[in-house]
Amino acid sequence: MSKATRLGWGASLLGILLVAAIACEDSAVIAPSDGSITVTLNPTAVTVDPNVPANAEKSSDVRALVLDKDGKPVENSIVYFSSTGGRLVQPGSSPEVSLDSAATDSQGIARATLVVTAEDADEVDVTALSGALTNTATLTKNVVGEQRPPTASLTIEPCGDPCAGEVNRVVTFKSTSTDPNDSDVLTFRWSIVSTGASGSEQFVTQSTRFSRTYTSAQDLAVSLEVSDDPAALSSPTTPGIWDDSAAKDYKICANQAPVAVAATGTLPTGAYPRAVPVDGSGSSDPDDDPLTFTWACGNGTTATGRTTFCNYTAAGSFTITLTVNDNPSGCPKKSGIDTVGVTLAPVP
């Protein structure tokens, strides 16, 4: 074959291929907007084991079915695939060939393969898009043989509003840490840094709780580290042995209750209604905290203030109750209560 003949034959072949490509592109159809697309996965759940090479990754067959409004398959419609994890490849390709689109066959089905590993999320969404149609299916992934670290968390009781305890009362510290591997034994390293003379401490334990009683007011900075390593108990200072940590500030309060003293002024006479002056000025607080005063007048009405009035519309004997609340900084409030009786005579 001469050089000219070869060149002519090559040009003819290139022209045939170009025409075929154009014809193939022109033959693609757009999915009808009033049709439907459905994505299915087989299987819908897989289990991977990163420690076993044969099971280190698993695959699921992806099928997108495109139908027209009459429920008939749409052939040669381009379907675009995407996923929130894993990788999408051409079915049966070896080595793998990435895939982001495929055309539907005579049954209206476009195919792909989703491959996931232990590094992927526990749920991977696969979405198919064709024209204005879209649909999503979810693959659930489980992992076995994988050592996943615990999560540290702690609580301190009692914990009111604000979260604080009191001197000479039992305080309980509790680990509420969680671990995804149920068979793991967790080890805890507690650290308490206190503003008190002897409240600071650090220790390692496998017990989930312990209690302390503090005899003086102080602030505590509490931290907890957690490990699922069996060596953590015997070698707690080994670098990298602690997986996670949590911290909480806590206050030990020595707040004392205020002393309430209720008194009345000169009782009014004459027509009703009568305003009886009440006075809580004799009240005090051992800690010099700010105080608030609430009066229950004994007839269903109330009043507020250190000095104020109780109003009455008829004669009778009434018990007036004064409640004094303190407002300590960062500590629970306490109350003091006192009563005083009044008798109001009828109008002469």
Side-chain angles (χ1 to χ4, degrees):
M1 183 184 294
S2 67
K3 180 177 181 182
T5 300
R6 290 196 303 272
L7 290 174
W9 181 84
S12 299
L13 178 61
L14 179 61
I16 293 171
L17 293 174
L18 180 60
V19 170
I22 294 173
C24 181
E25 182 178 348
D26 289 343
S27 66
V29 300
I30 298 176
S33 60
D34 55 357
S36 65
I37 184 171
T38 304
V39 181
T40 58
L41 302 177
N42 184 27
T44 58
V46 296
T47 298
V48 297
D49 186 344
N51 298 314
V52 179
N55 296 321
E57 61 181 31
K58 290 294 180 70
S59 62
S60 178
D61 294 328
V62 183
R63 294 191 177 193
L65 173 62
V66 181
L67 303 175
D68 63 18
K69 65 178 181 178
D70 298 319
K72 297 180 179 179
V74 179
E75 185 178 3
N76 206 33
S77 176
I78 302 300
V79 176
Y80 296 92
F81 293 99
S82 63
S83 66
T84 58
R87 57 187 188 274
L88 290 166
V89 300
Q90 292 183 9
S93 61
S94 182
E96 290 181 352
V97 177
S98 298
L99 177 144
D100 57 12
S101 66
T104 56
D105 58 19
S106 60
Q107 297 178 318
I109 297 175
R111 293 174 170 83
T113 297
L114 173 68
V115 181
V116 296
T117 69
E119 301 301 319
D120 292 302
D122 292 340
E123 291 186 345
V124 177
D125 293 334
V126 179
T127 299
L129 171 69
S130 185
L133 307 177
T134 185
N135 188 237
T136 299
T138 300
L139 177 74
T140 301
K141 184 215 72 181
N142 298 308
V143 179
V144 297
E146 181 185 28
Q147 188 63 33
R148 290 181 287 178
T151 299
S153 62
L154 67 96
T155 60
I156 307 176
E157 300 173 351
C159 182
D161 183 20
C163 187
E166 293 187 68
V167 295
N168 300 318
R169 299 287 181 89
V170 174
V171 179
T172 300
F173 302 83
K174 181 181 179 181
S175 167
T176 52
S177 305
T178 58
D179 186 78
N181 304 101
D182 294 336
S183 60
D184 288 344
V185 176
L186 299 182
T187 301
F188 310 103
R189 180 161 69 175
W190 290 91
S191 176
I192 300 177
V193 178
S194 172
T195 57
S198 58
S200 297
E201 58 181 314
Q202 185 179 80
F203 61 93
V204 177
T205 181
Q206 288 182 334
S207 175
T208 58
R209 65 175 64 201
F210 65 96
S211 297
R212 296 288 185 268
T213 300
Y214 297 92
T215 59
S216 62
Q218 53 198 286
D219 294 330
L220 306 178
V222 183
S223 63
L224 168 68
E225 295 171 284
V226 61
S227 174
D228 59 10
D229 193 318
L233 188 62
S234 58
S235 304
T237 59
T238 301
I241 206 167
W242 298 102
D243 297 300
D244 195 26
S245 63
K248 189 178 186 68
D249 291 332
Y250 195 74
K251 181 183 285 289
I252 303 298
C253 298
N255 182 38
Q256 301 176 75
V259 177
V261 177
T264 60
T266 302
L267 299 184
T269 58
Y272 285 93
R274 295 178 183 176
V276 175
V278 290
D279 189 348
S281 298
S283 304
S284 61
D285 185 80
D287 307 305
D288 292 327
D289 292 326
L291 299 177
T292 59
F293 301 80
T294 302
W295 300 84
C297 297
N299 63 344
T301 65
T302 60
T304 59
R306 183 183 296 270
T307 58
T308 185
F309 294 89
C310 280
N311 294 300
Y312 300 91
T313 59
S317 295
F318 305 94
T319 299
I320 301 174
T321 302
L322 169 64
T323 301
V324 179
N325 292 302
D326 64 5
N327 189 24
S329 176
C331 291
K333 298 178 181 179
K334 288 190 175 181
S335 301
I337 296 176
D338 191 27
T339 61
V340 61
V342 296
T343 298
L344 300 179
V347 175

